[in-house]
Amino acid sequence: MFEASLNPQIEISSAMASAVLKIVNTTLDWVTFALDAPSARAVVFGVHIDGHLFVEVLLLVVILFLLSQKSYKPPKRPLTKKEIDELCDQWVPEPLIPPLTEEMQSEPPVLESAARPHTVVNSKEVVNFASANYLGLIGHEKLLASCTTALEKYGVGSCGPRGFYGTIDVHLDCEARIAKFLGTPDSILYSYGLSTMFSAIPAFAKRGDIIVVDEGVHWGIQNGLHLSRSTIVYFKHNDMESLRNTLEKVTAENERAKKLRRYIVVEAVYQNSGQIAPLDEIIRLKEEYRFRVLLDESNSFGVLGSSGRGLTEYYGVPIEKIDIVTAAMGHALATEGGFCTGSARVIDHQRLSSSGYVFSASLPPYLASAAITAIDVLEENPVLLKKLKENITLLWKGLSDIPGLSIASNVESPIVFLKLEKSTGSVKNDLILLEDIADRVLKEDNILVVASKRSTLDKCCLAVGIRLFVSAAHSESDLRKASASLKRVVALVLRS
Amino acid sequence: MIAIPYLTLLTTYFSYGLLFVFGHIRDLFRNITGWFSSNNLQGYAPICLGQEDFYLRRLYFRIQDCFARPISSAPGAWFDVIERYSNDNNKTLKRTTKISRCLNLGSYSYLGFSASDEYCTPRVVESLKKYSPSTCSSRVDGGTTVLHNQLEEYVANFVGKPAAIVFGMGFVTNSAIIPALIGKGGLIISDSLNHSSIINGARGSGATVRVFQHNSPSHLEEVLREQIADGQPRTHRPWKKIIVIVEGIYSMEGELCKLPEIITICKKYKAYAYLDEAHSIGAVGKTGRGVCELLGVEPADVDIMMGTFTKSFGSCGGYIAGSKELIQYLKYTCPAHLYATSMSPPAAEQIISAIKVLLGEDGTSRGAKKLAQIRENSNFFRSELLKMGFEVLGDYDSPIMPIMLYNPAKIPAFSRECLKQNVAVVMVSFPATPLLLARVRICISASHTKEDLVKALEVISQVGDLVGIKYFPAEPGNQQQEEKMLKLD
């Protein structure tokens, strides 16, 4: 009975199995037949096409399809409004200025009269060595007379940039006078000494140009270089060997150097150290390596050279060899503003593309007429230059034997720069010491000297020191008093 | 936003296209002839590269006589313009001794202090005799006089801040202060039409600079939110600080800044606000204290206020006003204070006297009269121009009125025709404005009388008809004026 119930099931399953087997066999036969069909046996290029080739081709197609799919990227989720709100709430800015320290609280001396060699500070008369009044023209009657006429005729300001009715005939006269004095084709006036260099450099140098510059240049030039976005290479302060090596390296590295504009920027008398640049050597190097020279003559115009025409006259170099000469007029010429001079092409280009000229109001007319008068006075009285040179030599002699301080400036520079023989190690401490010396000299001996200050934005790393600006109007007794006082105070301060 | 009429746009493009084509053809000839002549600059790259001065040589020189006109008298309401002539097609201009007396609609002398003034000039001459034109030294060395300290006090009081610092030039003020306040790791957000000195300062500081659409507080908010959430580029660290820089009156558009909204946004997102009031200090506001007074913003809400003395006070120089600590810090770090020659003492005296006149401390009411006069003059002139059908930009109460020209040929035409009738105007075109949007910019002064303004309007209307710049129909009624104001915004 048991066998009888099982038997039909086994029979049915075996029948099903045989049926399935038969179907599979028939399918296989069909497939084999299809694959072995005559077309499949064709010979293409001497290769037998067998059935399995189709399967392989199909597989290849599938692989290619998968490869061509883009890789999986998780979907981008931009920040929601709420998240941005949270971030904005959490953000805490730094205070606008860092907390004030003690040295930030110091106040400069306040003058109560004109900045002549004898001036009044805190109701006491002091000898003034802090003004760059090299020719003693502050308070000169001719200057004051021409300024008064100009003030009464034109008012104080010029109320407009040069392009929009700010050009007054005194500006044009001043530019012509300066060009005549220096022997160049043309010149251009700027309304502020500091802005002269940092407007002129970006007008002639753009991204990709190469500028080789002395490491001791003042902030105006540094800012101009930064704004021009060119490649800047520094060389050691006033070291011609280093300049030669730098020029060599720069020309060797850049094969495209022929198509780029290349400049050397130097100052005639460096404000940060009082050194004088050796112009003849620089001109030789410039002609050898084919660079252009930009010269800043702020502290040498009206000082160096037998008639005050500056560094080019001092070294006997024709001024056409310098491509661009700039100068601030706030030194020897006892007025404000600056000028730039060079060939006609150079000057014309600046009239449209120099930002400090185009986008700024022009120089007040009375200052331009003061400049014209100052140049006239200089040309008529070359004795002023002689007096200045004598004073510089006297002061140099008096200050050269102070124990603890050494003179870092050139023997003929109108800025006498005294630096510490042994630095304390940090600029801050040096400055504290030097300012202490300057303070005592002012309080005890009534002599106004200043320690050179350095801004946090300044990249110059030369030593700080005490600067004395010599003027042609200083008398011998002034200079002797200064040397004696400095000797005494320095000995006092450095001993303690 | 300025909407250019379609036909004008086409003709302007056509004109510029023609000028460029002719310019390039001439350049081609120049290169060919230059190739033959000897070049003594062997081995040197030319100092002005090829395309840089294309605009100068081919477009600007044609109309050079409209710019840089020299004058030989003080820039008051009427002045003497020197005539010039040219022998070589406007490439070089030579002076003659002939002068023509013209009405001055171009100088920035909003309160009329530009010429010799009965109160200011004697005092200035006195201070000149006492302190001489320059101190020849920087403020920290030996260049601080009693006048400078007095000036800083006066300016701080006038503007409404605790302390101020002054410099000898307005351009240098921006270029040297912004790097001292912010450096790498900071963010500067400035208006798209800011002045070149602000752009210079922002670039010199090393901070990241982002621009927001001109005078649009909503876009400023968008940019702020995005930047704070994103952080510094590439590292995504949070910003060290954010400064937003705007101007009081924009000199090429004559528009007032939307200050209250912008200050609210700055406060909400903890950004510092820097306001450049070069054109608005002294010229707007009931007592001349600038846009803060006009728009009702507390000076204490603006962190740093900057301004210049060239425009309204008839002198030269710039100032920054802020809290005492800020000014002390700037006196210690700012390179313009440490290295540049200090401001000329007579110029400082002029500003002190001008402020005294404005505040009425000279014993007369001239100051108040001047302030009322300039407001009246500007509004009268603007409404008349709008009535005539000119397209004038800017807001009421602002003394600057740009009239749109668009077409490059109209620039010299308008200028020369006006000069023939003894009215001196200022043309502004590329690069100070976008290439297609050339304009005439009128600056009204308190020293213009009603007759001067009426004459000016006559001449401008005549020349406008001749040149064809009355883009809107002339309307007599007041109501339609309001509608037009909305269209211009």
Side-chain angles (χ1 to χ4, degrees):
Chain A
M1 205 160 331
F2 202 63
E3 279 178 343
S5 60
L6 277 178
N7 248 348
Q9 278 179 331
I10 295 174
E11 274 179 12
I12 292 174
S13 54
S14 65
M16 271 176 61
S18 59
V20 169
L21 210 60
K22 225 198 286 183
I23 292 174
V24 170
N25 271 333
T26 341
T27 327
L28 265 176
D29 281 338
W30 278 356
V31 168
T32 332
F33 173 69
L35 289 179
D36 281 341
S39 64
R41 280 221 202 98
V43 175
V44 180
F45 301 123
V47 174
H48 281 270
I49 293 194
D50 293 315
H52 61 88
L53 217 57
F54 281 102
V55 176
E56 281 152 13
V57 167
L58 194 65
L59 277 175
L60 199 64
V61 166
V62 169
I63 289 173
L64 284 174
F65 174 70
L66 283 175
L67 278 178
S68 68
Q69 291 287 24
K70 277 190 257 186
S71 60
Y72 173 71
K73 277 201 185 104
K76 271 199 176 151
R77 287 172 41 213
L79 296 170
T80 63
K81 192 162 171 305
K82 190 154 158 295
E83 284 167 343
I84 299 185
D85 279 338
E86 259 177 43
L87 283 168
C88 293
D89 282 333
Q90 281 171 6
W91 178 65
V92 175
E94 271 180 16
L96 188 58
I97 47 168
L100 294 180
T101 58
E102 219 189 273
E103 61 254 12
M104 294 188 193
Q105 312 274 12
S106 65
E107 295 283 331
V110 178
L111 270 71
E112 291 160 16
S113 77
R116 288 185 154 120
H118 288 263
T119 180
V120 176
V121 173
N122 281 340
S123 331
K124 276 195 298 193
E125 196 180 296
V126 300
V127 181
N128 184 7
F129 280 98
S131 296
N133 172 20
Y134 302 134
L135 297 173
L137 290 177
I138 291 187
H140 198 274
E141 328 82 46
K142 278 212 192 124
L143 229 74
L144 292 181
S146 82
C147 281
T148 318
T149 350
L151 277 172
E152 277 161 8
K153 184 171 179 203
Y154 300 110
V156 176
S158 59
C159 298
R162 287 292 290 261
F164 302 149
Y165 303 108
T167 308
I168 307 190
D169 47 3
V170 269
H171 293 137
L172 301 171
D173 291 334
C174 187
E175 289 176 355
R177 187 79 182 84
I178 294 175
K180 198 167 104 177
F181 180 66
L182 286 177
T184 52
D186 202 359
S187 70
I188 178 175
L189 268 185
Y190 283 90
S191 41
Y192 206 50
L194 194 66
S195 72
T196 314
M197 253 310 185
F198 84 62
S199 308
I201 296 183
F204 292 108
K206 300 271 175 355
R207 195 187 287 271
D209 295 328
I210 304 177
I211 309 189
V212 175
V213 62
D214 187 300
E215 64 182 5
V217 290
H218 63 82
W219 180 82
I221 300 182
Q222 287 171 24
N223 197 27
L225 297 171
H226 181 80
L227 287 172
S228 70
R229 304 203 242 201
S230 330
T231 327
I232 318 250
V233 187
Y234 287 99
F235 67 90
K236 287 215 195 61
H237 182 55
N238 223 15
D239 181 353
M240 290 299 112
E241 259 317 299
S242 168
L243 175 59
R244 177 181 280 279
N245 293 340
T246 322
L247 290 174
E248 186 70 58
K249 207 165 68 150
V250 162
T251 354
E253 275 173 6
N254 282 304
E255 304 90 42
R256 290 181 53 233
K258 292 273 152 54
K259 298 217 194 74
L260 298 170
R261 296 177 285 195
R262 294 153 297 175
Y263 297 100
I264 302 178
V265 179
V266 284
E267 279 179 56
V269 174
Y270 290 93
Q271 209 159 328
N272 285 328
S273 72
Q275 299 264 349
I276 298 186
L279 193 64
D280 47 356
E281 187 57 45
I282 294 178
I283 296 289
R284 259 204 297 275
L285 286 171
K286 156 206 153 134
E287 286 178 342
E288 194 184 320
Y289 290 95
R290 305 220 188 275
F291 274 62
R292 288 195 163 96
V293 172
L294 261 97
L295 184 63
D296 183 348
E297 291 225 47
S298 305
N299 290 308
S300 66
F301 184 79
V303 173
L304 294 179
S306 54
S307 64
R309 284 178 167 77
L311 198 66
T312 47
E313 197 181 19
Y314 184 69
Y315 276 104
V317 171
I319 196 158
E320 296 84 41
K321 297 222 171 168
I322 317 273
D323 301 276
I324 303 172
V325 176
T326 63
M329 300 198 286
H331 301 271
L333 291 181
T335 173
E336 303 235 351
F339 67 84
C340 174
T341 181
S343 69
R345 184 107 198 262
V346 159
I347 300 302
D348 272 338
H349 182 78
Q350 280 180 62
R351 287 197 204 274
L352 253 207
S353 55
S354 164
S355 45
Y357 179 82
V358 172
F359 293 112
S360 165
S362 54
L363 187 64
Y366 74 97
L367 292 172
S369 80
I372 301 178
T373 323
I375 298 185
D376 286 336
V377 167
L378 171 59
E379 265 195 323
E380 288 161 18
N381 304 346
V383 66
L384 289 170
L385 288 164
K386 244 198 304 205
K387 187 90 200 319
L388 175 63
K389 289 194 198 353
E390 277 168 18
N391 282 356
I392 298 176
T393 334
L394 247 164
L395 191 62
W396 230 84
K397 252 202 304 228
L399 294 176
S400 51
D401 55 352
I402 301 187
L405 291 180
S406 63
I407 305 191
S409 59
N410 189 298
V411 70
E412 297 198 44
S413 122
I415 306 178
V416 181
F417 198 88
L418 297 160
K419 66 171 194 236
L420 291 170
E421 247 166 31
K422 264 204 311 273
S423 154
T424 55
S426 81
V427 171
K428 212 165 84 145
N429 291 336
D430 279 349
L431 263 178
I432 296 180
L433 209 59
L434 293 166
E435 275 176 30
D436 191 26
I437 297 178
D439 267 337
R440 279 191 206 227
V441 167
L442 177 61
K443 284 207 192 65
E444 296 166 16
D445 294 322
N446 291 338
I447 303 201
L448 180 59
V449 293
V450 279
S452 63
K453 312 269 189 316
R454 209 44 80 66
S455 159
T456 44
L457 299 173
D458 199 339
K459 289 203 236 10
C460 173
C461 42
L462 296 182
V464 289
I466 295 191
R467 263 199 292 232
L468 282 97
F469 294 96
V470 184
S471 161
H474 277 133
S475 63
E476 252 191 68
S477 60
D478 291 334
L479 303 169
R480 262 199 292 260
K481 251 206 307 196
S483 335
S485 155
L486 272 168
K487 258 195 225 112
R488 189 184 68 83
V489 171
V490 169
L492 210 75
V493 169
L494 286 183
R495 216 172 352 136
S496 55
Chain B
M1 305 307 307
I2 305 171
I4 313 179
Y6 205 46
L7 185 62
T8 320
L9 181 68
L10 283 176
T11 50
T12 314
Y13 268 128
F14 177 70
S15 313
Y16 274 114
L18 204 64
L19 284 166
F20 281 140
V21 162
F22 270 100
H24 278 294
I25 294 179
R26 285 187 126 139
D27 266 354
L28 191 68
F29 278 110
R30 177 176 176 254
N31 284 339
I32 294 177
T33 49
W35 196 67
F36 287 123
S37 66
S38 70
N39 196 8
N40 62 350
L41 290 176
Q42 294 301 341
Y44 289 90
I47 199 160
C48 308
L49 297 176
Q51 293 308 309
E52 259 174 28
D53 54 348
F54 176 79
Y55 178 78
L56 173 73
R57 282 179 288 115
R58 299 300 165 209
L59 274 74
Y60 179 76
F61 275 157
R62 286 170 185 261
I63 55 174
Q64 210 193 147
D65 62 312
C66 303
F67 299 100
R69 289 193 180 133
I71 63 177
S72 69
S73 74
W78 286 82
F79 60 2
D80 299 324
V81 176
I82 299 178
E83 291 178 10
R84 301 182 289 176
Y85 69 94
S86 170
N87 285 335
D88 54 357
N89 238 357
N90 257 359
K91 228 168 136 205
T92 53
L93 292 160
K94 298 203 205 343
R95 276 157 78 181
T96 61
T97 45
K98 287 212 303 240
I99 54 175
S100 53
R101 190 123 183 104
C102 298
L103 177 64
N104 182 2
L105 291 179
S107 293
Y108 298 138
S109 123
Y110 300 136
L111 293 175
F113 280 115
S114 53
S116 180
D117 185 83
E118 61 197 8
Y119 180 79
C120 301
T121 312
R123 289 183 168 66
V124 170
V125 175
E126 216 183 281
S127 77
L128 170 76
K129 293 202 169 68
K130 186 165 179 210
Y131 291 101
S132 104
S134 164
T135 56
C136 287
S137 106
S138 66
R139 283 291 297 275
V140 278
D141 286 346
T144 307
T145 60
V146 171
L147 274 180
H148 291 103
N149 285 345
Q150 207 183 12
L151 173 63
E152 288 181 352
E153 251 178 62
Y154 264 89
V155 167
N157 275 340
F158 187 69
V159 169
K161 284 284 210 184
I165 178 176
V166 294
F167 298 96
M169 181 183 175
F171 190 93
V172 164
T173 312
N174 272 330
S175 307
I177 288 291
I178 301 180
L181 290 175
I182 192 170
K184 216 160 164 235
L187 174 68
I188 297 179
I189 305 186
S190 86
D191 191 290
S192 59
L193 294 177
N194 267 342
H195 189 249
S196 159
S197 57
I198 298 178
I199 299 179
N200 251 356
R203 278 211 200 125
S205 68
T208 317
V209 181
R210 294 274 177 268
V211 159
F212 72 94
Q213 267 172 29
H214 174 61
N215 231 1
S216 143
S218 53
H219 193 243
L220 170 65
E221 182 159 10
E222 230 179 87
V223 171
L224 265 171
R225 286 169 66 85
E226 196 190 307
Q227 290 300 322
I228 297 181
D230 244 356
Q232 295 186 27
R234 290 174 68 232
T235 56
H236 294 291
R237 289 208 199 133
W239 296 105
K240 290 206 183 134
K241 49 184 131 161
I242 301 186
I243 299 188
V244 176
I245 307 185
V246 287
E247 285 189 35
I249 293 186
Y250 291 92
S251 57
M252 293 297 155
E253 277 73 34
E255 272 177 2
L256 293 167
C257 153
K258 292 200 174 105
L259 198 58
E261 293 93 344
I262 292 183
I263 297 291
T264 339
I265 295 178
C266 285
K267 277 208 172 126
K268 183 167 158 203
Y269 292 96
K270 298 174 255 178
Y272 300 111
Y274 183 109
L275 178 65
D276 176 340
E277 292 212 78
H279 285 266
S280 53
I281 188 75
V284 293
K286 206 155 71 93
T287 55
R289 292 194 161 133
V291 277
C292 286
E293 191 180 11
L294 186 69
L295 299 175
V297 173
E298 279 292 327
D301 286 340
V302 182
D303 300 287
I304 308 147
M305 294 176 71
M306 179 258 172
T308 61
F309 301 119
T310 334
K311 282 96 185 175
S312 311
F313 300 100
S315 173
C316 65
Y319 69 87
I320 297 262
S323 64
K324 278 205 165 58
E325 292 81 32
L326 173 71
I327 301 298
Q328 197 68 40
Y329 177 72
L330 287 175
K331 283 189 176 170
Y332 180 70
T333 53
C334 179
H337 187 82
L338 297 177
Y339 300 135
T341 325
S342 62
M343 188 192 242
S344 171
E349 179 61 45
Q350 160 82 9
I351 305 165
I352 298 177
S353 314
I355 295 184
K356 283 201 186 133
V357 170
L358 281 183
L359 294 175
E361 284 176 22
D362 62 332
T364 67
S365 61
R366 271 178 55 212
K369 260 197 248 165
K370 278 187 201 267
L371 288 163
Q373 183 81 23
I374 183 168
R375 191 155 183 205
E376 219 184 278
N377 282 358
S378 333
N379 289 343
F380 169 69
F381 206 78
R382 188 182 290 275
S383 51
E384 290 296 314
L385 282 178
L386 286 170
K387 273 194 226 160
M388 285 190 229
F390 288 105
E391 184 170 349
V392 181
L393 308 178
D395 302 326
Y396 275 94
D397 283 344
S398 132
I400 303 179
M401 278 154 240
I403 305 177
M404 295 307 297
L405 291 175
Y406 303 117
N407 207 300
K410 298 187 182 173
I411 304 173
F414 195 94
S415 175
R416 288 171 193 158
E417 288 299 318
C418 279
L419 191 63
K420 276 195 210 144
Q421 310 212 19
N422 286 352
V423 170
V425 289
V426 158
M427 304 289 144
V428 191
S429 74
F430 189 78
T433 61
L435 188 64
L436 300 173
L437 305 174
R439 60 200 78 171
V440 180
R441 191 179 67 176
I442 313 269
C443 295
I444 297 294
S445 154
S447 52
H448 285 135
T449 59
K450 201 64 180 281
E451 294 85 39
D452 294 336
L453 293 181
V454 166
K455 171 178 163 107
L457 284 166
E458 251 176 56
V459 170
I460 292 182
S461 180
Q462 234 175 45
V463 178
D465 276 328
L466 192 66
V467 168
I469 53 173
K470 290 192 175 166
Y471 293 113
F472 292 125
E475 290 160 25
N478 257 338
Q479 212 178 10
Q480 286 144 321
Q481 233 171 46
E482 238 101 60
E483 278 178 344
K484 238 200 310 197
M485 281 303 297
L486 289 170
K487 245 197 283 175
L488 284 170
D489 274 331

